[in-house]
Structure formats: structure tokens, C-alpha cells
């Protein structure tokens, strides 16, 4: 079964309107009224590369986030397959791209992510704040500016507890002292009952820390923080002009394998899950989470596909990943209303020189759990844009898997025997392929034949341990 999925390659760049599709033409296309089957055909008309499209408008720009997808992907499905007042879910919401697009288009939405920083950013991007509140915040921040001098008492404890990494050196005493002053001011804002401003301030603080880690210590911390707050205020004011009837937005800091979402309550899912072995979000966000008092060890333990799991045999990480994704897809099936769409965006990964085509594994899982794969769309990633999926590895393209819920899954996501059975089937198929051809993802220097053949043994070892590896860690 593995490998029988049909893929639609994007060849629309120069065919739809005679030349490259403009943003206006694209919006015209997806904004019309269609029947379900017409809307499915419109997917073939879209130029999925969205080359040169604006992607950082309104609140999308609040905070960098690795491997986020471009807003036009969720926007296309929201426009074509939902009506105002419907509810859209992203179980791996990251910095909230799907949630923001739902908000801007008057759809209710739920954003779930295990990373508490992700749900914080998503909440702040979709929470309008009154001008009187911003005036109060400005008064607090002007007082803060008077107390930004170096205060050694503030610094010592934080400096001692920074992770043992080279990058920690960026956080010198002056910088730590300023970050602590900002943090303390924000705590006062919370104590004085301004919760939304507190969250907005923490997002601005986190974005400042991100800039610091990215650029080294050439950053003027307080200046950057204040500029960030100002720009968030302007963007929220612009957003308020676009969103007339404020839709419901719920953010849940939870596990995609056990969604805290009502059964049969969702009209559309658009999501991009983590890639196997591609990127550790906990590592990327370690300093932000530290300053915001978030538990990154708990996140590391439950992060799907994370580098830090199964270092000795990476194919055990693959079984774990497939089990986690199967559970997550079963949960997506449970919460989705019958006949509605579930859209999963994912790129290929590489494990020990072998190509992992996740979308093929997912399309094959779909048939066992009440989903019908409708089509898979291939798109190129614009690698010149910062923080697209391209930065999670050697990834230049991705696949959009469109599935329809045709029935309820017969088993639940906590059924370890079922998960183990499906993952064993998939890993056995994968092993058969690797026995025929090895080194399917080699791009640079060839490893020795011996090294590649070892993968066959590693995969059979991984198959042996599937029943224990797919269990959710406690
Ligand atoms: C590719 S990113 C999603 C990016 C998102 N589409 C955006 O535009 O920002 C994958 C997300 O999965 C989250 N994640 C990893 N393990 C998870 C789990 N067990 N439950 C829920 N979310 C998880 C990560 O924190 C990360 O935010």
C-alpha cells in the first residue's frame, strides 16, 4: 500500500493567467462561492508556490518561529471549505498561522501546541487590545526606563542558571539586568490585573530574546523591546479595522495525541506537524522559555520527532514518530465532523542517509482510521524567506496532504495494540524498500556500502522494539 498515493505537482506558475499569478488574482479565485467538488477542483488551479506573495502582514510578524507555514496555505482551505462562524483547528499550531487566518476571516478557531511559547504567541496575535490599555502600559514602561541601570542583585541568580552552552555568553550582566527589569515590570502589569497586556509584553520580551540569540549581543535590549511593543500596538490597531465581528479563539497548551477538543465539533483542520529528526523546538526556544518561566524539559519529553530521542538507533525514532503521528491523526479524525477536510503539510526528512517521505506514511495511515486521501499537492519552498520549513534541514519542497473524514475510526488513539500493529506494517514495508535500494537521500559524499547495509539491521532492531517505543512516555 505504501507509495500508491497520487501527487499533484504544481505546474500553475505560468499557466493560470498567462503569467505569474498575482495576489489579487489568487484572492479572486479563492473568494468565489463553490460547491464542495468545485472547490476541490479549484485546488488544481492554485499556484502553490506563492512566489513573492506578502506573508508577514498584520500580526503574523509578531514573533519568529521555525518551520512555520505561509499564511496562504491555511487561507486557501479556509476560504474554499468553510463559512463565517465555522470552527477551524490546528493541533500543532506553532506561532498560530492557521489561527490568525481564521481570525482575519471571521472563523472561530482552536490552536493547540505542546510548546507553551507557541500558544502564548498564537493567543497574543488574535487578542485585540484597547487603546486605553496601551496607554496604561506606556506609563508602566516609562517608569521602567528609569530603572534600567545595572543591578547586580538581579543578575546573579539568573546568570548561574543559564544553560551550559556557548550562546549563554551573549547574556552578559547588563543584558540580564535589563531583561530582568522588563520581566519584573510585566509581573506588576499582571498583578494589577492586565492579563492580556502581560501576555503581549511577554511575547515582546520573547521576541527580543530571540533577536539577541540570532544576532549576538549587538542588540540594545530595552530599545528593541519598546520598539516591539509599539509595532505590536500598531498592528493590532490595523487588525481591529479588518475584524468586525470578533470570532472565538481558543488556545490550548496540550498534546496532539490527546486533544482536549470536543468530538465531531470541527469544520476544518489545517496543520503542519513536526518533521521526524528535523528540529528541536525546545532547543530553539530554550532561552525564551527560561525567561518566561516555561517548563522546557516537559516539552522536550513529549515533543514529537525530536532529535533528542533514540540517539543510538534513529529508526526507533521513526517508529516512535509514526506512532505519535498515527495517534494525532486519530484524534484529528475524532474531533472533525463527518465529510469535512483535514489538511496536513509536511516535507521529507532524512534518517541515516534514507529518505523519509512522511506524507506517504500519513496517506497510508489515513485509510485505517476513517480518512479518505483526496489529493497530495507538491509545492516548492521559497528558501530566501526566513523561517519557512526550509530551515528545518535540507528541505526545498513540501507536500500538502488533503484528506476527508468519511467515518469515525473504529479504535481510539490510546489503543497501543492498534498503533503497534500499523507502525509494524509500515516499518516492515519500509524495511523491504531499503533492502532493495539504500542511500535514498544521499546528497553529498557517498558513505561506504557497509555503513548503508547496517541500516537494514538497525531497521529490524527497531521493528523488534515497536511495542515499547510507541508508548506515550510518562
Ligand atoms: C512545524 S511546527 C508548526 C508551525 C505552524 N504551522 C506555524 O505556522 O507556526 C510543529 C509544531 O508542533 C509542535 N509539537 C511538537 N510535539 C507536539 C505534541 N506532542 N503536541 C502538540 N504539539 C506538538 C511544536 O511545538 C511545533 O510548534
Amino acid at each position: 500500500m505504501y507509495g500508491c498515493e497520487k501527487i499533484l505537482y504544481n505546474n500553475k506558475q505560468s499557466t493560470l493567467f498567462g503569467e505569474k499569478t498575482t495576489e489579487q488574482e489568487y484572492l479572486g479565485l479563492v473568494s468565489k462561492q463553490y460547491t464542495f467538488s468545485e472547490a476541490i477542483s479549484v485546488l488544481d488551479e492554485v499556484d502553490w508556490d506563492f512566489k513573492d506573495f506578502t506573508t508577514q502582514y498584520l500580526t503574523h510578524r509578531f514573533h519568529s518561529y521555525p518551520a512555520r507555514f505561509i499564511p496562504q496555505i491555511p487561507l486557501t482551505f479556509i476560504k474554499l471549505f468553510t463559512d463565517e462562524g465555522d470552527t477551524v483547528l490546528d493541533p500543532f499550531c506553532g506561532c498560530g498561522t492557521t489561527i490568525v487566518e481564521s481570525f482575519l476571516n471571521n472563523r472561530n478557531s482552536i490552536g493547540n501546541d505542546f510548546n507553551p511559547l507557541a500558544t502564548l504567541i498564537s493567543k497574543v496575535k488574535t487578542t485585540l487590545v484597547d487603546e486605553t490599555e496601551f496607554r496604561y502600559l506606556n506609563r508602566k514602561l516609562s517608569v521602567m526606563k528609569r530603572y534600567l541601570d545595572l543591578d547586580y542583585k538581579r543578575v546573579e541568580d539568573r546568570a548561574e542558571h543559564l544553560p551550559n552552552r556557548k550562546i549563554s555568553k551573549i547574556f552578559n550582566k547588563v543584558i540580564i539586568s535589563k531583561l530582568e527589569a522588563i520581566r519584573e515590570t510585566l509581573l506588576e502589569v499582571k498583578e494589577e490585573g492586565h492579563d492580556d497586556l502581560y501576555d503581549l509584553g511577554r511575547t515582546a520580551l520573547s521576541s527580543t530574546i530571540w533577536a539577541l540569540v540570532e544576532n549576538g549581543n549587538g542588540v540594545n535590549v530595552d530599545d528593541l523591546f519598546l520598539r516591539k511593543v509599539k509595532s505590536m500596538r500598531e498592528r493590532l490597531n490595523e487588525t481591529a479595522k479588518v475584524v468586525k465581528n470578533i470570532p472565538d479563539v481558543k488556545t490550548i497548551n496540550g498534546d496532539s495525541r490527546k486533544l482536549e477538543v470536543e468530538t465531531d465539533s470541527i469544520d476544518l483542520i489545517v496543520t503542519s506537524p513536526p518533521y521526524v529528526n528535523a528540529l528541536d523546538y525546545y532547543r530553539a526556544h530554550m532561552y525564551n522559555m527560561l525567561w518566561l518561566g516555561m517548563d522546557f524539559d516537559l516539552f522536550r519529553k513529549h515533543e514529537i520527532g525530536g532529535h533528542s530521542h533514540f540517539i543510538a538507533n534513529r529508526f526507533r525514532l521513526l517508529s516512535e514518530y509514526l506512532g505519535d503521528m498515527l495517534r494525532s491523526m486519530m484524534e484529528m479524525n475524532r474531533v472533525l465532523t463527518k465529510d469535512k477536510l483535514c489538511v496536513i503539510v509536511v516535507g521529507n526528512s532524512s534518517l541515516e542517509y534514507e529518505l523519509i517521505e512522511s506524507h506517504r506514511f500519513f496517506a497510508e495511515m489515513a485509510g485505517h482510521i476513517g480518512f479518505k486521501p483526496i489529493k497530495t499537492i507538491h509545492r516548492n519552498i521559497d528558501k530566501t524567506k526566513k523561517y519557512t520549513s526550509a530551515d528545518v534541514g535540507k528541505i526545498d519542497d513540501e507536500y500538502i496532504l488533503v484528506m476527508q473524514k468519511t467515518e469515525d475510526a473504529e479504535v481510539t488513539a490510546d489503543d497501543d495494540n492498534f498503533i503497534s500493529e500499523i507502525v509494524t506494517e509500515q516499518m516492515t514495508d519500509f524495511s523491504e524498500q531499503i533492502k532493495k535500494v539504500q542511500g535514498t537521500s544521499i546528497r553529498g559524499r557517498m558513505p561506504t556500502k557497509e555503513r548503508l547495509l547496517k541500516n537494514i539491521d538497525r531497521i529490524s532492531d527497531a521493528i523488534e522494539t515497536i511495542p515499547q517505543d510507541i508508548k506515550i512516555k510518562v
Side-chain angles (χ1 to χ4, degrees):
M1 185 107 180
Y2 176 76
C4 64
E5 167 204 19
K6 276 202 202 106
I7 297 173
L8 171 75
Y9 284 89
N10 178 28
N11 57 2
K12 293 290 160 198
Q13 290 104 317
S14 54
T15 53
L16 177 57
F17 300 99
E19 51 190 30
K20 201 175 65 159
T21 315
T22 65
E23 297 198 40
Q24 227 177 354
E25 286 164 337
Y26 156 74
L27 281 174
L29 177 71
V30 296
S31 300
K32 288 189 199 132
Q33 285 291 322
Y34 299 103
T35 62
F36 180 80
S37 60
E38 282 167 352
I40 292 286
S41 313
V42 171
L43 295 177
D44 301 350
E45 298 304 317
V46 172
D47 175 357
W48 289 95
D49 293 349
F50 300 113
K51 198 155 171 27
D52 303 328
F53 275 39
T54 319
T55 54
Q56 291 294 289
Y57 47 87
L58 298 171
T59 62
H60 282 301
R61 213 196 173 113
F62 274 14
H63 197 295
S64 288
Y65 200 87
R68 64 181 169 208
F69 50 26
I70 57 167
Q72 285 79 10
I73 295 179
L75 176 63
T76 305
F77 290 96
I78 289 168
K79 287 270 197 199
L80 290 174
F81 297 99
T82 61
D83 295 316
E84 291 194 6
D86 279 357
T87 303
V88 182
L89 166 73
D90 186 345
F92 300 101
C93 69
C95 67
T97 313
T98 297
I99 306 311
V100 171
E101 285 306 314
S102 305
F103 187 69
L104 295 176
N105 289 282
N106 289 322
R107 272 63 166 176
N108 302 322
S109 60
I110 303 179
N112 174 85
D113 202 291
F114 212 104
N115 182 350
L117 180 62
T119 38
L120 173 73
I121 303 169
S122 303
K123 182 227 155 179
V124 171
K125 282 178 168 180
T126 49
T127 305
L128 300 178
V129 178
D130 223 58
E131 267 302 289
T132 46
E133 281 294 274
F134 274 116
R135 284 198 284 276
Y136 155 85
L137 182 64
N138 274 357
R139 287 196 295 277
K140 295 296 289 185
L141 296 179
S142 344
V143 177
M144 177 189 87
K145 263 192 91 90
R146 285 190 242 132
Y147 297 101
L148 282 173
D149 299 341
L150 186 57
D151 174 350
Y152 284 104
K153 280 203 296 305
R154 271 193 194 133
V155 172
E156 272 154 29
D157 189 46
R158 178 69 72 193
E160 259 175 40
H161 289 97
L162 285 178
N164 184 15
R165 297 168 78 198
K166 209 166 130 203
I167 196 115
S168 290
K169 289 206 169 62
I170 291 175
F171 294 85
N172 62 37
K173 288 191 160 64
V174 176
I175 286 180
I176 294 179
S177 176
K178 285 182 173 179
L179 291 174
E180 287 298 293
I182 297 171
R183 196 179 64 84
E184 284 165 19
T185 306
L186 293 175
L187 282 174
E188 279 172 31
V189 168
K190 184 176 170 59
E191 274 159 24
E192 289 165 17
H194 303 264
D195 286 356
D196 287 342
L197 278 183
Y198 171 64
D199 286 341
L200 181 137
R202 292 198 308 155
T203 303
L205 174 61
S206 173
S207 173
T208 306
I209 293 172
W210 182 270
L212 201 65
V213 172
E214 286 267 283
N215 304 318
N217 56 7
V219 172
N220 182 340
V221 170
D222 46 309
D223 186 49
L224 189 63
F225 173 78
L226 294 172
R227 273 192 287 126
K228 190 79 211 170
V229 171
K230 183 166 176 273
S231 123
M232 288 167 91
R233 177 183 183 169
E234 287 162 4
R235 282 169 181 266
L236 281 173
N237 285 341
E238 279 173 49
T239 304
K241 289 182 202 145
V242 178
V243 182
K244 293 287 173 237
N245 305 314
I246 300 174
D248 290 340
V249 182
K250 191 170 172 192
T251 46
I252 306 171
N253 181 206
D255 194 335
S256 57
R257 299 166 296 183
K258 309 177 200 167
L259 287 174
E260 286 163 36
V261 176
E262 225 179 283
T263 302
D264 295 335
S265 64
I266 300 294
D267 301 294
L268 171 71
I269 295 176
V270 188
T271 194
S272 59
Y275 297 19
V276 62
N277 193 32
L279 181 124
D280 274 330
Y281 284 88
Y282 95 89
R283 204 177 270 275
H285 291 147
M286 197 179 259
Y287 292 92
N288 311 53
M289 289 170 96
L290 190 79
W291 247 279
L292 301 186
M294 293 170 171
D295 185 347
F296 57 75
D297 272 331
L298 181 74
F299 175 50
R300 172 174 33 192
K301 194 160 152 195
H302 293 288
E303 182 180 15
I304 294 179
H307 276 305
S308 54
H309 315 178
F310 299 118
I311 304 283
N313 181 351
R314 303 314 264 161
F315 296 103
R316 290 180 69 184
L317 174 66
L318 177 61
S319 322
E320 183 195 51
Y321 176 75
L322 294 176
D324 286 343
M325 283 307 302
L326 177 57
R327 282 186 212 275
S328 304
M329 284 172 60
M330 291 169 81
E331 279 291 86
M332 293 187 219
N333 174 282
R334 177 182 66 77
V335 301
L336 199 61
T337 309
K338 188 167 175 286
D339 296 331
K340 302 288 181 177
L341 292 189
C342 173
V343 180
I344 299 186
V345 183
V346 70
N348 293 337
S349 313
S350 173
L351 274 186
E352 304 287 358
Y353 304 103
E354 302 303 347
L355 183 68
I356 310 297
E357 295 179 287
S358 299
H359 66 98
R360 292 195 191 277
F361 284 104
F362 300 166
E364 206 273 321
M365 283 172 189
H368 296 279
I369 56 170
F371 278 129
K372 179 171 97 183
I374 302 237
K375 61 178 73 187
T376 302
I377 302 158
H378 170 267
R379 69 177 290 272
N380 297 305
I381 295 175
D382 183 355
K383 287 186 117 174
T384 58
K385 291 245 161 72
K386 254 189 153 189
Y387 301 118
T388 60
S389 322
D391 52 62
V392 300
K394 299 171 189 155
I395 296 169
D396 350 311
D397 52 6
E398 62 192 1
Y399 297 83
I400 304 172
L401 172 62
V402 184
M403 300 174 290
Q404 184 178 25
K405 173 169 172 177
T406 49
E407 56 191 345
D408 291 333
E410 279 169 15
V411 281
T412 50
D414 58 2
D415 186 329
D416 286 354
N417 290 336
F418 175 76
I419 304 289
S420 186
E421 193 187 306
I422 302 293
V423 173
T424 305
E425 259 175 42
Q426 294 206 314
M427 288 293 284
T428 310
D429 283 356
F430 177 65
S431 159
E432 291 308 312
Q433 286 185 20
I434 302 299
K435 280 180 194 157
K436 285 188 210 136
V437 199
Q438 304 90 43
T440 43
S441 81
I442 297 172
R443 287 200 178 186
R445 214 159 53 92
M446 275 298 274
T448 60
K449 186 80 184 157
E450 217 179 21
R451 171 135 198 210
L452 288 179
L453 288 174
K454 257 197 196 141
N455 281 346
I456 297 172
D457 299 332
R458 288 202 186 104
I459 298 170
S460 24
D461 290 347
I463 291 174
E464 295 288 305
T465 51
I466 285 173
Q468 73 210 54
D469 293 344
I470 52 92
K471 288 214 159 82
I472 294 187
K473 316 279 170 297
V474 278

